[in-house]
Amino acid sequence: MSEAAHPYRGVAIALATLHGKAEALTPAFAAIGARLVMAEGVDTDALGTFSGEIERGLPMLDTAIAKARLGMAATGLPLGLATEGSFGPHPVIGFLPLHRELAVLVDDTRGLVIAEWLDSQQARYGGCLLQTGDILEEAQLQRFGFPEHALIVRSEPFAPGGPVSKGIRDRSALEAAIDTCRRASLLGQAWVETDMRAHMNPTRMQQIALLAERLVSRAGACCPQCRTPGFGKTGILPGLPCADCGTPTAAVLSEVASCSACGFRDVRGRSDGLTEADPAQCDLCNP
Ligand SMILES: [Zn+2]
Ligand SMILES: [Zn+2]
């Protein structure tokens, strides 16, 4: 599709964010001539801050749509953009962190929500407990990506009203915060973790920028049947046949793209072109 034909070319889109995400989101939208309008004075944290856990899809989607709507209400624009992130241990490979980021474009002129997800294992995400006398080791600080990636320090066990320091990017401030939090702790312990707010975590900012490109690209793809924007992958179908015996396996057979407006579905082969599964994945050949 040529840039001129993008359905969101030249539009104004409300963005409610406290955490400097505009910097990461703007380039992808600027590339189609769309303008992001900052919604001033909207407290997106009122919708909840990080739980620290990977949530199920639906609550994230609802939260992102609610955030986009806050921006639309504050600016009076019929289009709104929001992102929502969650972090946790990888569901399959437990020792790897998983970062899931969602971006939504809410379009009240067409009655649409266009959503795009991004899963990444590149996250700078983690935390550690410091007992009395423990020193935060250099190797741990490097895993956190400090000081480019900011840290949060709090007392452990944490009590409401107890000391919390956020956005720490300075070594002496970090040590002072650890000291304060240990003194306030019944057990003399402090908890140190990565600050996952976008402007405090450059790795997350990069993922948001990449996600913005994908969202713009999806918003530019129109349904072949009704021309509604946002046509794209909505699911997968398992059943890739075993290369030896032809039995359907649990591996992905095809990708499904569908339209939220008219229900048109397009089932295509895998994007990597694979048509047969490794017999190692076959229940008959490799029980
Ligand atoms: Zn087989
Ligand atoms: Zn359609």
Side-chain angles (χ1 to χ4, degrees):
M1 171 177 296
S2 72
E3 272 187 21
H6 197 291
Y8 294 96
R9 179 165 187 82
V11 299
I13 303 170
L15 176 65
T17 177
L18 289 177
H19 299 152
K21 290 178 201 164
E23 195 187 313
L25 293 166
T26 297
F29 286 87
I32 55 161
R35 192 165 53 92
L36 300 184
V37 179
M38 297 307 118
E40 304 290 343
V42 176
D43 182 10
T44 53
D45 279 351
L47 295 170
T49 51
F50 294 107
S51 64
E53 297 293 327
I54 295 287
E55 302 170 55
R56 272 185 260 256
L58 204 57
M60 272 181 84
L61 186 60
D62 291 343
T63 306
I65 292 171
K67 263 190 206 176
R69 291 209 171 280
L70 284 178
M72 292 157 73
T75 56
L77 291 169
L79 299 170
L81 172 67
T83 72
E84 183 69 12
S86 67
F87 304 86
H90 194 284
V92 181
I93 317 162
F95 58 87
L96 279 181
L98 178 68
H99 166 202
R100 174 166 294 169
E101 194 82 30
L102 163 69
V104 295
L105 176 62
V106 177
D107 177 356
D108 276 355
T109 66
R110 296 178 176 91
L112 277 184
V113 174
I114 300 173
E116 193 69 34
W117 300 81
L118 182 69
D119 279 353
S120 161
Q121 288 159 27
Q122 311 301 317
R124 291 287 192 171
Y125 165 79
C128 67
L129 181 67
L130 295 179
Q131 314 271 9
T132 312
D134 281 357
I135 293 168
L136 200 50
E137 292 185 6
E138 208 53 48
Q140 180 63 268
L141 285 174
Q142 280 185 17
R143 277 195 292 278
F144 287 156
F146 183 81
E148 293 77 16
H149 297 72
L151 296 174
I152 293 177
V153 182
R154 61 169 169 77
S155 292
E156 180 64 34
F158 183 67
V164 185
S165 292
K166 296 183 176 184
I168 302 170
R169 276 180 159 142
D170 172 90
R171 192 63 190 254
S172 59
L174 176 62
E175 272 154 24
I178 291 171
D179 191 49
T180 303
C181 291
R182 270 181 178 155
R183 284 173 200 274
S185 160
L186 294 172
L187 303 174
Q189 297 174 340
W191 174 258
V192 181
E193 65 183 22
T194 46
D195 189 335
M196 300 314 295
R197 292 175 296 165
H199 64 307
M200 291 293 160
N201 195 293
T203 303
R204 184 174 176 219
M205 282 288 251
Q206 285 166 12
Q207 296 301 316
I208 292 174
L210 179 61
L211 182 60
E213 286 174 19
R214 291 197 191 173
L215 182 67
V216 166
S217 157
R218 186 177 188 125
C222 294
C223 169
Q225 187 164 280
C226 74
R227 308 303 302 159
T228 296
F231 188 75
K233 184 176 164 186
T234 49
I236 50 159
L237 294 175
L240 194 66
C242 168
D244 271 1
C245 72
T247 302
T249 67
V252 175
L253 171 67
S254 45
E255 294 174 359
V256 181
S258 55
C259 171
S260 62
C262 75
F264 177 80
R265 266 164 60 100
D266 180 24
V267 180
R268 330 167 175 186
R270 293 168 58 115
S271 50
D272 62 7
L274 202 64
T275 56
E276 288 179 321
D278 185 332
Q281 293 176 281
C282 174
D283 285 342
L284 277 184
C285 299
N286 188 24

